[in-house]
Amino acid sequence: MLSIYYGDMPQAIYNPIIYFKNSYTDEWITDALSKEMIQDVDKSTVLGSRIIDSPVLGAISPRELSGGVKTLISIYKAPDRIFNASACGDNCAKWILKIGSLQDITINLRHLMDFGEKEFTAKILNTDQLVHSMDELIPIAGMIVR
């Protein structure tokens, strides 16, 4: 399940890009879900654990992936950690929901992320409420995020 905490959270990893740089392993990149996220968000194809084909940059290493993908992979591969998911754009929201459907994760947000029009389940830790749609999330998050 996805849990969200809005606002300052001292235990959150504020810079998930640095975390990724210092923590990722080859397996993180070649995992099937990681490959899907890299393809969808960065439009890049994983050729191997240390080489990715980017349509914009050519052959790149995992360190040159976007901040959003690095954050997503970190959330997925280190579910016991809490990451600042505001490093992600709204194009990452569906992947956060996907990861949350596979395992329990907690993310920190400092903005209102658009999780789309489909139903989802998330627990808002600030208020201990479950939400199932953006219509339910917006009033809660709007009172917290300023």
Side-chain angles (χ1 to χ4, degrees):
M1 171 183 253
L2 170 63
S3 296
I4 303 169
Y5 186 89
Y6 285 98
D8 290 335
M9 185 180 202
Q11 65 270 40
I13 297 170
Y14 179 73
N15 193 334
I17 292 136
I18 297 295
Y19 178 89
F20 178 89
K21 177 183 172 188
N22 294 315
S23 303
Y24 84 92
T25 65
D26 290 350
E27 186 276 329
W28 284 24
I29 306 305
T30 58
D31 177 271
L33 184 61
S34 294
K35 286 178 168 181
E36 285 182 60
M37 293 188 292
I38 292 166
Q39 182 64 57
D40 182 58
V41 176
D42 282 3
K43 309 300 184 227
S44 298
T45 304
V46 175
L47 302 175
S49 61
R50 297 183 186 175
I51 188 156
I52 298 158
D53 183 26
S54 165
V56 175
L57 303 172
I60 62 171
S61 77
R63 290 181 180 211
E64 296 166 286
L65 290 167
S66 70
V69 167
K70 290 176 185 176
T71 302
L72 287 173
I73 295 171
S74 295
I75 292 168
Y76 174 50
K77 291 299 183 175
D80 57 319
R81 307 280 182 145
I82 300 169
F83 293 94
N84 170 22
S86 287
C88 296
D90 287 343
N91 62 334
C92 296
K94 72 178 183 181
W95 293 106
I96 292 172
L97 293 174
K98 173 75 173 178
I99 296 164
S101 74
L102 300 173
Q103 59 197 22
D104 290 338
I105 58 169
T106 299
I107 61 169
N108 177 233
L109 283 173
R110 293 150 194 249
H111 76 289
L112 179 60
M113 181 173 274
D114 184 357
F115 288 101
E117 295 185 18
K118 293 182 182 177
E119 285 194 16
F120 60 89
T121 300
K123 182 175 184 177
I124 308 308
L125 297 175
N126 306 70
T127 61
D128 200 34
Q129 291 176 279
L130 282 180
V131 296
H132 301 94
S133 67
M134 286 302 295
D135 287 341
E136 292 177 8
L137 176 63
I138 289 171
I140 298 167
M143 292 186 59
I144 303 165
V145 177
R146 305 235 175 224

